[in-house]
Amino acid sequence: MNTRQQADTAQKKPQWGAVFSMALGVFGLVTAEFLPASLLTPMAASLDASEGMAGQAVTVTAIFALLTSFFSASATRSLDRRWVMLVFSLMLIGSNLLVAFAPNLTFILLGRVLLGISIGGFWTLAAATTMRLVPEAMIPRALSIVFSGVSVATIVAAPMGSYFGHLIGWRNVFVAAAAIGLLGLIWQGAALPKMPPNPSSQGSSLFSVMRRPRMQTALLAIILLFSGHFAFFTYLRPFLESVTGVGVNGLSAILLGFGGANFAGTLIAGVLLERNLHRTLIATPLAMGLMGIGLVAMGSAPLADAVLVALWGMAFGAVPVGWSTWITRTMPDEAESGGGLLVASIQLAITIGAAAGGVIFNVTGAKGVFMGSTLALLIATLTIYAALRCKPAMAEIKSDRLS
């Protein structure tokens, strides 16, 4: 690693203001992504469209986030990262305003395409940008702060969107989301330093990065892990209603506990990852798998199930932070391309988890989905162990520096 890169990735003072501005940007992105789920009915009614058609606002966002994750790093490689992140935040604002004032469904879909590009680009570059804001040893802690924006948005976006949609109308909710994006843009403009293109980046394609040692095994583990989680999360409500037997109030309390524990797990992850990255990466899917076994075995035990769901949420809080940290340590020279592969793998896993979960649910019910999810997580644990049992990533990096 040359002198300029060392200076870039190991700031004398961590720039926490910039890190928190990134967290606010992430909160705005995820909030905007989740809003249609809670506003689908009034949106469809006011646009004279079916709920199925309005639901495509979610689908088109995911598709373009996936496509953007493949190309954003290479397409913006020669640009100052500060300006690239600001442009993605500007796209977030434009997307929300386009949806808020859309005269028909076509304009809403255009706005959601813009959001998908913003999500795919921002997420792809988030880890690589964060590693340039703090010293190397503090990267896990900084990433846990950035990813806490996801946890907060997960907790508040859907219920708050539904609540305020009833009070002020769905269009004004998107105006409010645009205001959150504007706050993030202003803070980022004030806090993010100039970040010229990384001089050590080799401009590798995603396919060449994928051929690096252990990368393919790691990507398989990531897909298994996230597929297992999203199959679980997608069918959590049917499980709690049909197997645990909770009512609406109990369901809301358990989901709130899941969100709160997920937020706590994201913050705790920074400390755990600083102590031992590999053990944390292996322990999280193992813990989630054990929680899944417990949920299936306990049956209708509301209190025990609530605790297990919360513990699952806490364990999952460390997953995005952990794998983003692994990318920054394993390939600091191509962290942006690695981030693109991570985002693409997660988007693919969401699709696989939801689709496979639906097939299993139709055949065996919610318990079968949880059993399949648990199996995927335990296989992911073994796959991660296989990927990390070789020479530690940091040892490889130090070897590269010496050579």
Side-chain angles (χ1 to χ4, degrees), residues 309-385:
V309 169
L311 291 174
W312 180 301
M314 181 175 288
F316 182 71
V319 172
V321 185
W323 285 103
S324 295
T325 301
W326 184 81
I327 291 289
T328 63
R329 291 190 177 180
T330 305
M331 51 185 71
D333 59 321
E334 289 294 350
E336 293 178 356
S337 295
L341 284 174
L342 178 62
V343 173
S345 299
I346 292 172
Q347 293 294 332
L348 177 61
I350 292 173
T351 304
I352 293 173
V359 173
I360 297 172
F361 182 82
N362 289 335
V363 176
T364 63
K367 270 194 173 183
V369 174
F370 277 30
M371 291 174 64
S373 176
T374 297
L375 180 62
L377 288 163
L378 295 179
I379 295 174
T381 303
L382 295 175
T383 307
I384 294 168
Y385 176 77

Side-chain angles (χ1 to χ4, degrees), residues 29-401:
L29 285 168
V30 177
T31 296
E33 185 178 13
F34 286 170
L35 279 181
S38 60
L39 299 170
L40 203 59
T41 300
M43 287 175 65
S46 66
L47 295 168
D48 195 25
S50 68
E51 292 186 2
M53 286 297 296
Q56 299 310 307
V58 177
T59 305
V60 75
T61 301
I63 291 173
F64 276 85
L66 175 61
L67 294 175
T68 305
S69 68
F70 284 116
F71 305 112
S72 56
S74 58
T76 63
R77 193 174 297 278
S78 62
L79 303 176
D80 187 314
R81 292 358 236 158
R82 176 178 184 271
W83 288 107
V84 173
M85 301 307 283
L86 292 177
V87 167
F88 286 133
S89 293
L90 190 62
M91 286 183 178
L92 166 64
I93 299 169
S95 166
N96 285 319
L97 292 178
L98 195 56
V99 172
F101 297 103
N104 53 50
L105 185 59
T106 300
F107 279 84
I108 284 185
L109 294 180
L110 288 174
R112 301 297 290 185
V113 166
L114 201 59
L115 178 65
I117 295 172
S118 178
I119 290 173
F122 200 99
W123 277 122
T124 295
L125 303 180
T129 301
T130 303
M131 69 182 289
R132 300 176 70 172
L133 299 174
V134 298
E136 185 176 335
M138 293 183 178
I139 289 175
R141 194 179 312 176
L143 286 172
S144 72
I145 292 172
V146 171
F147 281 97
S148 69
V150 179
S151 301
V152 176
T154 302
I155 297 171
V156 306
M160 296 300 285
S162 178
Y163 177 75
F164 284 108
H166 178 70
L167 290 180
I168 62 177
W170 69 267
R171 293 184 184 273
N172 286 324
V173 172
F174 279 97
V175 172
I180 294 174
L182 179 60
L183 288 176
L185 177 67
I186 294 172
W187 194 353
Q188 290 160 22
L192 288 176
K194 291 183 178 180
M195 289 178 283
N198 191 338
S200 70
S201 178
Q202 303 168 7
S204 304
S205 68
L206 292 184
F207 295 104
S208 63
V209 173
M210 195 182 300
R211 289 194 295 269
R212 290 194 176 194
R214 300 182 298 166
M215 192 62 186
Q216 294 177 22
T217 309
L219 289 175
L220 174 60
I222 290 167
I223 291 172
L224 285 167
L225 200 166
F226 279 89
S227 294
H229 169 73
F230 281 102
F232 159 85
F233 190 71
T234 301
Y235 294 93
L236 177 58
R237 178 169 181 168
F239 177 88
L240 293 173
E241 290 176 336
S242 64
V243 179
T244 305
V246 298
V248 174
N249 292 336
L251 177 66
S252 299
I254 291 174
L255 293 178
L256 182 61
F258 174 90
N262 181 253
F263 175 70
T266 302
L267 296 180
I268 294 171
V271 178
L272 296 178
L273 292 165
E274 286 178 359
R275 292 184 176 180
N276 196 304
L277 171 62
H278 288 183
R279 287 181 183 175
T280 305
L281 290 178
I282 295 171
T284 46
L286 177 60
M288 292 162 65
L290 294 176
M291 296 307 111
I293 293 173
L295 284 165
V296 173
M298 293 297 294
S300 55
L303 183 58
D305 286 356
V307 173
L308 291 172
V309 169
L311 291 174
W312 180 301
M314 181 175 288
F316 182 71
V319 172
V321 185
W323 285 103
S324 295
T325 301
W326 184 81
I327 291 289
T328 63
R329 291 190 177 180
T330 305
M331 51 185 71
D333 59 321
E334 289 294 350
E336 293 178 356
S337 295
L341 284 174
L342 178 62
V343 173
S345 299
I346 292 172
Q347 293 294 332
L348 177 61
I350 292 173
T351 304
I352 293 173
V359 173
I360 297 172
F361 182 82
N362 289 335
V363 176
T364 63
K367 270 194 173 183
V369 174
F370 277 30
M371 291 174 64
S373 176
T374 297
L375 180 62
L377 288 163
L378 295 179
I379 295 174
T381 303
L382 295 175
T383 307
I384 294 168
Y385 176 77
L388 303 182
R389 66 181 178 179
C390 306
K391 183 170 56 175
M394 288 306 298
E396 293 179 1
I397 295 171
K398 291 177 181 179
S399 177
D400 292 340
R401 289 176 182 173

